[in-house]
Amino acid sequence: MFMRVDKLQAELPPPKRQDPNAAAALQELLGGKYGEMSTLGNYMFQSFNFRSKEKLRPFYSLVASITAEELGHVELVSNGVAMLNNGPDVPDADAGDGGDISKSPFEAMKDIRSFASFASGAGGALPVNSNSMSWNVDMVTTTGNVVFDLLHNFHLECGARLHKLRVYETLSDPTGREVCGYLLVRGSVHAHSYALALKQITGVALEKFLPVPNIPLDKIPECQKYLDEGSHRRLYTWSPADYKEIAGIWGNGEQALPTDPPGELTVVDGMPEGGKIHQLVGVPSAFTPDYAPEEMFEIATKLYKKSR
Amino acid sequence: MFMRVDKLQAELPPPKRQDPNAAAALQELLGGKYGEMSTLGNYMFQSFNFRSKEKLRPFYSLVASITAEELGHVELVSNGVAMLNNGPDVPDADAGDGGDISKSPFEAMKDIRSFASFASGAGGALPVNSNSMSWNVDMVTTTGNVVFDLLHNFHLECGARLHKLRVYETLSDPTGREVCGYLLVRGSVHAHSYALALKQITGVALEKFLPVPNIPLDKIPECQKYLDEGSHRRLYTWSPADYKEIAGIWGNGEQALPTDPPGELTVVDGMPEGGKIHQLVGVPSAFTPDYAPEEMFEIATKLYKKSR
Amino acid sequence: MFMRVDKLQAELPPPKRQDPNAAAALQELLGGKYGEMSTLGNYMFQSFNFRSKEKLRPFYSLVASITAEELGHVELVSNGVAMLNNGPDVPDADAGDGGDISKSPFEAMKDIRSFASFASGAGGALPVNSNSMSWNVDMVTTTGNVVFDLLHNFHLECGARLHKLRVYETLSDPTGREVCGYLLVRGSVHAHSYALALKQITGVALEKFLPVPNIPLDKIPECQKYLDEGSHRRLYTWSPADYKEIAGIWGNGEQALPTDPPGELTVVDGMPEGGKIHQLVGVPSAFTPDYAPEEMFEIATKLYKKSR
Amino acid sequence: MFMRVDKLQAELPPPKRQDPNAAAALQELLGGKYGEMSTLGNYMFQSFNFRSKEKLRPFYSLVASITAEELGHVELVSNGVAMLNNGPDVPDADAGDGGDISKSPFEAMKDIRSFASFASGAGGALPVNSNSMSWNVDMVTTTGNVVFDLLHNFHLECGARLHKLRVYETLSDPTGREVCGYLLVRGSVHAHSYALALKQITGVALEKFLPVPNIPLDKIPECQKYLDEGSHRRLYTWSPADYKEIAGIWGNGEQALPTDPPGELTVVDGMPEGGKIHQLVGVPSAFTPDYAPEEMFEIATKLYKKSR
Amino acid sequence: MFMRVDKLQAELPPPKRQDPNAAAALQELLGGKYGEMSTLGNYMFQSFNFRSKEKLRPFYSLVASITAEELGHVELVSNGVAMLNNGPDVPDADAGDGGDISKSPFEAMKDIRSFASFASGAGGALPVNSNSMSWNVDMVTTTGNVVFDLLHNFHLECGARLHKLRVYETLSDPTGREVCGYLLVRGSVHAHSYALALKQITGVALEKFLPVPNIPLDKIPECQKYLDEGSHRRLYTWSPADYKEIAGIWGNGEQALPTDPPGELTVVDGMPEGGKIHQLVGVPSAFTPDYAPEEMFEIATKLYKKSR
Amino acid sequence: MFMRVDKLQAELPPPKRQDPNAAAALQELLGGKYGEMSTLGNYMFQSFNFRSKEKLRPFYSLVASITAEELGHVELVSNGVAMLNNGPDVPDADAGDGGDISKSPFEAMKDIRSFASFASGAGGALPVNSNSMSWNVDMVTTTGNVVFDLLHNFHLECGARLHKLRVYETLSDPTGREVCGYLLVRGSVHAHSYALALKQITGVALEKFLPVPNIPLDKIPECQKYLDEGSHRRLYTWSPADYKEIAGIWGNGEQALPTDPPGELTVVDGMPEGGKIHQLVGVPSAFTPDYAPEEMFEIATKLYKKSR
């Protein structure tokens, strides 16, 4: 079972300007083959399909708990995409009747790369890559062979890191860069953890491969605050009470990667504090939430009061 | 953010026999257009993309909290699929060397409907429908228009119920039938809740449509224990502290559907107690977890001890 | 613009027995690359996109009018698929409450090839091929180059005929065989007409290629009544008043293929008389039209009377 | 069976300039999930698969006759796409040899969003959405349950209207705006008619939902002439003699929506008068119909004369 | 550039009986995510896109030369699929007129898993997996980062081996088992070679992972003759004169895996001798090559003589 | 079996500037329905699935040998795509540490049509069309009926030529134009050869259709050197010793097309001399081959020396 907390894993700075093509680029990290829908889909189905869960508890718990973190990554990138698609929030822009819709208020959308992200998705995020291709089952590997699935996951996290770097190198807006910076640190943790799990089984020191690609996180300004707070040495259980067995893999004196700030790896029960979710103010002229929405706001306020 | 608890929303009875074609039929409720990946995908992205969250809090919270329940539905169907694909657990069948693999030990798989579910998925669940077609973005609607998205969701839950009934009518094994029975009750709750939300905005008593399709749950034996415990009158917040505003929609004197046991609708903080996850014993001859796995079990036990 | 007439192009004999796998085989002629959705999709979009329509009127009219016939082919195959999926009609089986749905009334569906055709499509037809793969844009060629598009269409009709023959050789039920027999005659007419159009432009006697594949229609018993009535020598305009210019291509002394009954090719204004559409009686236990449908029948009767 | 008439449902004003990105935006209304291929595909297959047609005649006839109108909508949008892709017609531009093809005459196409619409589709329309993704079976729902299928259709028409409005707000060229204006009026009729059909069966006044999204048509200048002539109160049978039973649903004193010009709903036998189809002059340098086409024009003229 | 030699990499024993479901199972090794189209597609595009080819020659040559071997693997599996689909060759069955096609000569095909493989593919192989899903670009990774692409390839070969074993365990016919046995040996060589390449760059002894899955080839009778002749220690250049630099990676004293017969790794210039391609006798009733094909044989014989 | 030679079929001039949108346009000739992956896929699988190979040797050899040439075409277009994506080579740009990656070095990529070609494909080629849609099995026809498959291939080559011309008319950079020019000459040879094969079987002089589209190659400057050297009159066997029987079809006094330089058609054993493969210098800031790659170059040099 899963629970939800109304926060983001990292607080995102507001976008400087509306930039649908930047949002579309960021979609590569959401619905691309090496995006967060893929890490989520792989670990989620691997954890459902895991065999001999009791006998292999630490390995099962590793895949199961990271699944929950990936859900939050999907949420984080989605928020970033929506923010870049819409630009800075204008408070109360969601009130009023939207003006004269016959004056082509969205003419600027005509030339963006992913028109359907506006016309159908209303500037939100979708499980597609930067070329608008759908995420799909071909991006999921779940063979039930623990060694192979972990090797696949190790490769997947390295590939994800490569894609995050390239998107980072493309974006200049702080919202998108923050998404990349945060995910680079956490993706590195996941790659590291799969390497350590495989080392336990095979004896091969796979963590010596890292980092792949070969760029230390200290070259990325947006990574620094996460490194400073030691995020790169921490795995969360993402659970009120379960999955603590991951400490058998992530811990036991294992250390941070040599290119990162030094220290021992530790497991933290539960989840990080997180940051505020962006408001994403509605646009009446695009019928979000709807044209002339004040009546809806009033109804919602009434219902809200009833619920307290 | 999301947390995970190592339990299923409902405890599933063990399968009577291995039946990959029954498992494939159940896949329709996982990766089909009206399956749980679709309800999950629609509500997850709608909640990420929701505009004016604060002003429309009760509606936002409804979609956001049901998202978390749908994650558990995806998990439940996945467990059912894996159990039917594999048949009754044979304790300790995951030990040993798998025997003589040159004797075509899996010849029986040759004629099943979804061979790849064995060859690649190892009898696990995948985000595909009963015809092996991938779940994809065409099954996600997130327009940002709250009235329309809720109407879409209402139609989606009615359609999901229709598919659940047909799969139920096909299956004779208790595992699959329990999955359907549980989901029929919970799906009815979701359809009901979207109808009530729309009634608040539009004044149209949409809940009078229900049930669609027109079959009271009391005709389904597997639904009875859930009706008896009042599951059909309950919405959970699926959160330690958030989403309580759904009580503005689900509550306020609203009653159970006339075809279900009577009583007032209530919101429950958090989540249900849930049931045990099936073990899904490994099969060395199919290399799950791996050939001659005792060594892996030993390593896992050692790591488990270290984690305590 | 298009009009509709509530008849089938050919009257189909009732099926001998329910045979979903035969229905799935027939789907190849509906949604396969060389199926009727493809001939429809190619000619429909080619006719929309046709350039210099006035100057090239006879060629435009050929493609435009055959489009209308292909709509009826899609309808015919769809009816055949639904009939084979459902078996012989049982009059008034659509009344009543459907019996005890907890007794797995559709257990037999569990092992059919295309389970979703039952679970989601309710035994109806869908735009998919015999392997449940969706028809899609990759099956449409519309280049705007008249010579090339006609050559493509010639190849498409020959390929369609090849597939019809193989499906015919697979089916033993009279419903499916009648579909194939009728389509073989009409498909031959279309191949012939594209050959004659190309001969007018290029001077190459392409009709001498025919028949491809090399089987005279007189080997197919189900083709005989259509040959006897001269269907193989007739092109319809499928229009109250337009597209008569096809007589410039199909006519002018051109003769039937040497392997078919002899005679001159002629254009017929309008459409053939057609046959009755199959009733496809509902199944309450599968909720079609709905459980306990008598009330719906009564409402419909009342509305029917009001409409007169 | 279907017939074809060589006219468009509405006459489209000529485009002001060639704008392939505007054409690509309009494709959302053709091959998108809520586009005309989807309304066509849903109603066409629902009508083929409809059960107990005789007993449920008014409902069957509603779905069957709207299918024919949707064919004309597909045609209308396709014409609009082709016109925007090509710009104003230049009479006799289809003659001549196309000039020096080695001078990159189509360099401007290099940067358009959907290059394949030029390279392969020659500036015509294709069954894809605004992101070039193919229309497919996942956009078709045909469950055989009449109540649910009508509910689906009601949701589909509301969604289609939402997409039409957003595309309208994007386009400034009169051709594309006219397409949207016409379809908004007719889509509103279809949503209204499905609401009335559902009201007859369930007693829920679903038409009170409308309009969704919440914008009266009088805000759209391009809708006015259609409202003035009462198009919003009219359903056509689109048939020489069939489908008249729709008057049981659309009529009987039912009135226009309160936001539209008032009056009673009426059924019109047959079809509207329609407008002229755009010529779409060929471009020899792009080999449409072919390079140096005069010989083809001459042959066509000769054949035309023979056909009279 | 590529050359072709009219031989198979391994001679396949004739099939014992026609078994289309076994053929469909074998398709997993052709068009599945871990099948030969994927190894081919990955290495082919990686070699085309390889950067700094001169400076990284041994790594480039490794990927480039294995590409050519994978082409032969695609050919080998395709031959196996076609042989299982068709059963033992009946000499001269390709002559004659095919008999009475109205007697449903292919009724047995109606219930096979992949009907389109008969109806459209005529019992040949296609780039699809065992569930008839198309091979596609999502199965190709080509990032230009040499370390990551090699890591991906290492994981791909391990995954391919896992799938080969499961298909092997399913098949009882000698044709399909020979395909698996041969590919298991060669796939092991490729996994080994990528491990050694990565060891050169990173210093991590990745070959100690092998074999994954953990089954020595000596448990597979069909592998023995290939092990006996030392195939597991050999890489071919698959070129008249190029790619010899792979000896820098595969050689230099590196040894066979400890679970295989011992010996040093060696590079062989060119290609193995190979075996005879199966004849695949035509079936006139299925119009392959065509109905009453003697005339075609005669024409071919005449042309053959002219060519000498 | 296949061999590989480290050369391109034609030497490509260096690109004038980086132009990812031009590269994306060229992708239409790689992964589009009428691109080189399609000609390759069709002939490769047709040759694998060919029936009665011995009796129909000249026809089999034609399809089999052209397969090998198509592999080289896929390689040629892929090289062109990569060159246009990357622009002129800067020698030794692949050394160094890539500079400050936090300065958005790839901001210019944000607005290109196919962002994933940069983010994931690193500026390489992929099996997709100009709209980023994957090549797939729907683009492969292999029916086993020799007459029909040859007719399909004839149509395919004509369509490929049409697409090549339109892409040529779009590109101004010499690299892409050279690709088109070369392929136009060779594609014309293939269309011609299939026409001659069909003429042998059916007696219809199909080569008189050519050229389709109707543009003589002498209008394309980039074709001249290939025409001058007689490439249009030559078929290669692409084999050390096989496929010589194609001389029964291509030869025997058959002549060049009337619009091309005159002369007899001849078969050449083996392959053309070919040209140099472009170096495609790496970009450390995009991690190709990897960040700070000097160490890798050194390792490669060491391995190279060992291999000699």
Side-chain angles (χ1 to χ4, degrees), chain E residues 132-213:
Chain E
S132 303
M133 308 289 293
S134 179
W135 182 84
N136 63 71
V137 70
D138 289 332
M139 301 175 188
V140 175
T141 289
T142 167
T143 70
N145 181 293
V146 176
V147 179
F148 177 70
D149 283 357
L150 290 173
L151 174 60
H152 167 272
N153 297 352
F154 176 71
H155 127 270
L156 180 63
E157 292 285 353
C158 290
R161 201 171 181 267
L162 185 62
H163 287 72
K164 284 161 192 163
L165 277 160
R166 286 182 184 154
V167 172
Y168 173 79
E169 292 179 292
T170 303
L171 300 180
S172 55
D173 189 285
T175 305
R177 289 167 69 96
E178 188 75 19
V179 170
C180 297
Y182 179 77
L183 293 178
L184 278 163
V185 174
R186 296 307 304 163
S188 180
V189 166
H190 295 171
H192 194 176
S193 71
Y194 288 127
L196 293 177
L198 282 164
K199 185 169 71 169
Q200 294 291 353
I201 301 174
T202 67
V204 179
L206 202 57
E207 79 276 15
K208 293 195 179 154
F209 253 77
L210 300 174
V212 170

Side-chain angles (χ1 to χ4, degrees), chain A residues 39-40 42-44 46 58-67 70 146-147 149-158 186-202 204 206-207 210 235 249-250, chain E residues 209:
Chain A
T39 45
L40 169 61
N42 276 280
Y43 310 156
M44 182 165 76
Q46 284 177 20
F59 301 105
Y60 166 67
S61 289
L62 185 68
V63 176
S65 63
I66 295 181
T67 299
E70 298 297 354
V146 175
V147 179
D149 283 357
L150 290 173
L151 174 61
H152 168 271
N153 297 352
F154 176 72
H155 127 270
L156 180 63
E157 292 284 353
C158 290
R186 296 307 303 164
S188 179
V189 167
H190 295 172
H192 194 177
S193 71
Y194 289 127
L196 293 176
L198 282 164
K199 184 169 70 170
Q200 294 291 353
I201 301 174
T202 67
V204 178
L206 203 56
E207 78 276 14
L210 300 173
L235 260 188
I249 293 164
W250 187 267
Chain E
F209 253 77

Side-chain angles (χ1 to χ4, degrees), chain E residues 217-266:
Chain E
L217 296 176
D218 62 17
K219 300 250 177 157
I220 319 274
E222 285 79 1
C223 294
Q224 299 324 307
K225 72 166 166 267
Y226 303 111
L227 294 174
D228 291 348
E229 70 185 40
S231 179
H232 62 295
R233 293 184 290 107
R234 241 183 264 137
L235 261 188
Y236 300 91
T237 62
W238 299 99
S239 181
D242 300 315
Y243 312 122
K244 296 173 192 289
E245 307 80 10
I246 57 177
I249 293 164
W250 187 268
N252 293 321
E254 290 284 356
Q255 300 292 318
L257 294 180
T259 48
D260 292 337
E264 204 171 327
L265 307 183
T266 55

Side-chain angles (χ1 to χ4, degrees), chain B residues 5-304:
Chain B
V5 172
D6 207 44
K7 283 192 170 178
L8 280 187
Q9 289 181 359
E11 188 146 337
L12 299 177
K16 288 256 165 73
R17 60 183 192 89
Q18 185 183 34
D19 187 347
N21 283 356
L26 195 53
Q27 281 276 165
E28 187 69 26
L29 304 188
L30 181 52
K33 184 179 174 182
Y34 289 93
E36 302 299 334
M37 282 292 292
S38 286
T39 45
L40 169 61
N42 276 279
Y43 310 156
M44 183 165 77
F45 284 101
Q46 284 177 20
S47 67
F48 296 159
N49 299 337
F50 209 99
R51 285 158 177 279
S52 303
K53 293 182 184 70
E54 278 317 311
K55 293 188 180 171
L56 295 165
R57 195 81 203 167
F59 302 105
Y60 166 66
S61 288
L62 185 68
V63 176
S65 62
I66 295 181
T67 300
E69 178 162 358
E70 299 298 354
L71 278 163
H73 288 190
V74 168
E75 186 182 33
L76 188 73
V77 184
S78 293
N79 271 265
V81 167
M83 289 163 79
L84 287 171
N85 263 328
N86 290 283
D89 269 1
V90 183
D92 294 319
D94 52 6
D97 71 355
D100 186 348
I101 60 171
S102 77
K103 294 234 152 83
S104 309
F106 295 105
E107 193 165 12
M109 294 299 105
K110 184 171 62 72
D111 297 316
I112 65 174
R113 183 158 66 238
S114 173
F115 181 73
S117 75
F118 162 70
S120 188
L126 283 169
V128 298
N129 75 1
S130 58
N131 283 352
S132 303
M133 309 289 292
S134 180
W135 182 83
N136 63 70
V137 71
D138 290 332
M139 301 175 188
V140 175
T141 289
T142 169
T143 70
N145 180 290
V146 176
V147 180
F148 177 70
D149 283 357
L150 290 172
L151 174 61
H152 168 272
N153 298 352
F154 175 72
H155 126 271
L156 181 63
E157 291 285 353
C158 290
R161 201 172 181 267
L162 184 62
H163 287 72
K164 284 161 192 163
L165 277 161
R166 286 183 184 154
V167 171
Y168 173 79
E169 292 180 292
T170 303
L171 299 180
S172 55
D173 189 284
T175 306
R177 289 166 70 96
E178 188 74 19
V179 170
C180 296
Y182 179 79
L183 293 178
L184 278 163
V185 174
R186 296 307 304 164
S188 179
V189 167
H190 294 171
H192 194 177
S193 70
Y194 288 126
L196 293 176
L198 282 165
K199 184 168 71 171
Q200 294 291 353
I201 301 174
T202 67
V204 179
L206 203 57
E207 77 277 14
K208 292 193 179 155
F209 254 78
L210 300 174
V212 171
N214 181 25
I215 288 219
L217 295 176
D218 62 17
K219 301 250 177 159
I220 320 273
E222 284 80 2
C223 293
Q224 299 323 307
K225 74 167 165 265
Y226 303 110
L227 294 175
D228 290 348
E229 70 184 40
S231 180
H232 62 295
R233 292 184 291 106
R234 241 183 265 136
L235 261 188
Y236 300 91
T237 61
W238 300 99
S239 182
D242 300 315
Y243 311 122
K244 294 172 193 287
E245 307 79 12
I246 57 176
I249 293 164
W250 187 266
N252 293 322
E254 291 283 357
Q255 301 291 318
L257 295 180
T259 49
D260 292 338
E264 203 170 327
L265 307 183
T266 56
V267 167
V268 175
D269 271 11
M271 64 206 300
E273 201 183 335
K276 227 177 51 168
I277 294 180
H278 189 76
Q279 191 56 214
L280 205 67
V281 168
V283 182
S285 52
F287 321 108
T288 53
D290 206 341
Y291 196 72
E294 282 83 358
E295 196 185 346
M296 284 180 63
F297 295 157
E298 203 177 314
I299 292 166
T301 305
K302 199 182 60 188
L303 295 174
Y304 181 86

Side-chain angles (χ1 to χ4, degrees), chain F residues 5-260:
Chain F
V5 172
D6 208 44
K7 284 192 170 179
L8 280 188
Q9 289 181 0
E11 188 146 337
L12 299 177
K16 287 256 165 74
R17 59 182 192 92
Q18 186 183 34
D19 188 346
N21 283 355
L26 195 53
Q27 280 276 165
E28 188 69 25
L29 304 189
L30 180 52
K33 184 178 174 183
Y34 289 92
E36 302 300 334
M37 281 292 292
S38 286
T39 45
L40 169 61
N42 276 281
Y43 310 155
M44 183 166 75
F45 284 101
Q46 284 177 19
S47 67
F48 295 159
N49 299 336
F50 210 98
R51 284 158 178 278
S52 303
K53 294 183 184 70
E54 278 318 311
K55 293 187 180 171
L56 295 165
R57 196 80 203 169
F59 301 105
Y60 166 67
S61 288
L62 185 69
V63 175
S65 63
I66 295 181
T67 299
E69 177 162 358
E70 299 297 354
L71 277 163
H73 288 189
V74 168
E75 186 182 34
L76 187 74
V77 184
S78 294
N79 271 266
V81 167
M83 289 162 80
L84 287 170
N85 263 327
N86 291 282
D89 269 2
V90 183
D92 294 318
D94 52 5
D97 72 355
D100 187 347
I101 60 172
S102 76
K103 295 234 153 84
S104 309
F106 295 104
E107 194 165 12
M109 294 298 105
K110 185 171 61 70
D111 297 315
I112 64 174
R113 184 159 65 237
S114 173
F115 181 74
S117 75
F118 161 70
S120 188
L126 282 169
V128 298
N129 75 0
S130 58
N131 283 351
S132 303
M133 309 288 293
S134 179
W135 182 83
N136 63 71
V137 70
D138 290 332
M139 301 174 187
V140 175
T141 289
T142 167
T143 70
N145 180 293
V146 176
V147 179
F148 177 70
D149 283 357
L150 290 172
L151 174 61
H152 168 271
N153 298 351
F154 176 71
H155 126 270
L156 180 64
E157 292 285 354
C158 291
R161 201 171 181 268
L162 184 61
H163 287 72
K164 283 161 193 163
L165 278 161
R166 287 184 183 152
V167 172
Y168 172 80
E169 292 180 291
T170 303
L171 300 180
S172 55
D173 190 283
T175 305
R177 289 167 69 96
E178 187 75 19
V179 170
C180 298
Y182 179 77
L183 292 178
L184 278 163
V185 174
R186 297 307 303 164
S188 179
V189 166
H190 295 172
H192 194 178
S193 72
Y194 288 126
L196 293 177
L198 282 164
K199 183 169 72 170
Q200 294 291 353
I201 301 175
T202 67
V204 178
L206 203 56
E207 79 276 13
K208 292 192 180 157
F209 252 78
L210 299 173
V212 170
N214 181 26
I215 289 220
L217 296 176
D218 61 18
K219 301 251 177 158
I220 320 275
E222 285 80 2
C223 294
Q224 299 324 306
K225 74 166 164 265
Y226 303 110
L227 294 175
D228 291 349
E229 70 184 39
S231 180
H232 62 295
R233 292 184 290 105
R234 241 183 265 136
L235 261 188
Y236 300 90
T237 62
W238 300 99
S239 182
D242 300 314
Y243 312 122
K244 296 172 191 289
E245 308 79 10
I246 57 177
I249 294 164
W250 187 266
N252 294 322
E254 290 283 356
Q255 300 292 318
L257 294 180
T259 49
D260 293 336

Side-chain angles (χ1 to χ4, degrees), chain D:
Chain D
M1 292 196 288
F2 295 82
M3 299 181 86
R4 189 168 186 176
V5 172
D6 206 45
K7 283 192 169 178
L8 279 188
Q9 288 181 0
E11 188 147 336
L12 299 178
K16 287 256 166 73
R17 59 182 192 91
Q18 185 181 35
D19 188 346
N21 283 356
L26 195 52
Q27 281 276 165
E28 188 68 26
L29 305 188
L30 180 53
K33 184 179 174 182
Y34 289 93
E36 302 299 334
M37 281 294 291
S38 286
T39 46
L40 169 62
N42 276 280
Y43 310 156
M44 182 165 77
F45 284 101
Q46 284 177 19
S47 67
F48 295 159
N49 299 337
F50 210 97
R51 284 157 179 279
S52 303
K53 294 183 184 70
E54 278 317 312
K55 293 187 180 171
L56 295 166
R57 196 80 204 169
F59 302 105
Y60 166 66
S61 288
L62 185 68
V63 176
S65 62
I66 295 181
T67 299
E69 178 162 358
E70 298 298 353
L71 278 163
H73 289 188
V74 169
E75 186 183 33
L76 187 74
V77 184
S78 294
N79 271 265
V81 167
M83 289 161 80
L84 287 170
N85 263 327
N86 290 282
D89 269 2
V90 183
D92 294 319
D94 52 5
D97 72 355
D100 186 347
I101 60 171
S102 76
K103 295 235 152 85
S104 309
F106 295 105
E107 193 165 12
M109 294 298 106
K110 184 170 63 69
D111 297 316
I112 65 174
R113 184 158 65 239
S114 172
F115 181 74
S117 75
F118 161 70
S120 188
L126 282 169
V128 298
N129 75 0
S130 59
N131 283 351
S132 304
M133 309 288 294
S134 180
W135 183 83
N136 63 70
V137 71
D138 290 331
M139 301 175 188
V140 174
T141 288
T142 168
T143 70
N145 181 293
V146 175
V147 178
F148 177 71
D149 283 357
L150 290 173
L151 174 61
H152 168 272
N153 297 351
F154 175 72
H155 127 269
L156 180 63
E157 291 284 353
C158 290
R161 201 172 181 268
L162 185 62
H163 287 71
K164 284 161 192 164
L165 278 161
R166 287 183 184 154
V167 172
Y168 173 79
E169 293 180 292
T170 302
L171 299 180
S172 56
D173 189 284
T175 305
R177 289 166 69 96
E178 187 76 20
V179 170
C180 297
Y182 178 78
L183 293 178
L184 278 163
V185 174
R186 297 306 305 162
S188 180
V189 166
H190 294 171
H192 194 178
S193 71
Y194 289 127
L196 294 176
L198 282 164
K199 184 168 72 170
Q200 294 291 353
I201 301 174
T202 66
V204 178
L206 203 57
E207 78 277 14
K208 293 193 178 154
F209 254 77
L210 299 174
V212 171
N214 181 25
I215 289 220
L217 296 176
D218 62 17
K219 301 251 177 158
I220 320 275
E222 284 79 2
C223 294
Q224 300 322 307
K225 72 167 166 265
Y226 303 111
L227 293 173
D228 291 349
E229 70 183 40
S231 179
H232 62 295
R233 292 184 291 105
R234 241 183 265 137
L235 261 188
Y236 300 90
T237 60
W238 299 99
S239 182
D242 299 314
Y243 312 122
K244 295 171 191 288
E245 307 79 10
I246 57 177
I249 293 164
W250 188 266
N252 294 321
E254 290 284 355
Q255 300 292 317
L257 294 179
T259 48
D260 292 337
E264 203 171 328
L265 308 183
T266 56
V267 167
V268 175
D269 272 12
M271 65 207 297
E273 202 183 335
K276 227 177 50 167
I277 295 179
H278 189 76
Q279 191 58 212
L280 203 67
V281 167
V283 182
S285 52
F287 320 106
T288 53
D290 206 345
Y291 196 75
E294 282 83 359
E295 195 185 349
M296 284 179 63
F297 295 156
E298 201 178 315
I299 292 166
T301 305
K302 197 183 64 188
L303 295 174
Y304 181 87
K305 285 180 187 152
K306 277 189 193 162
S307 79
R308 295 287 137 164

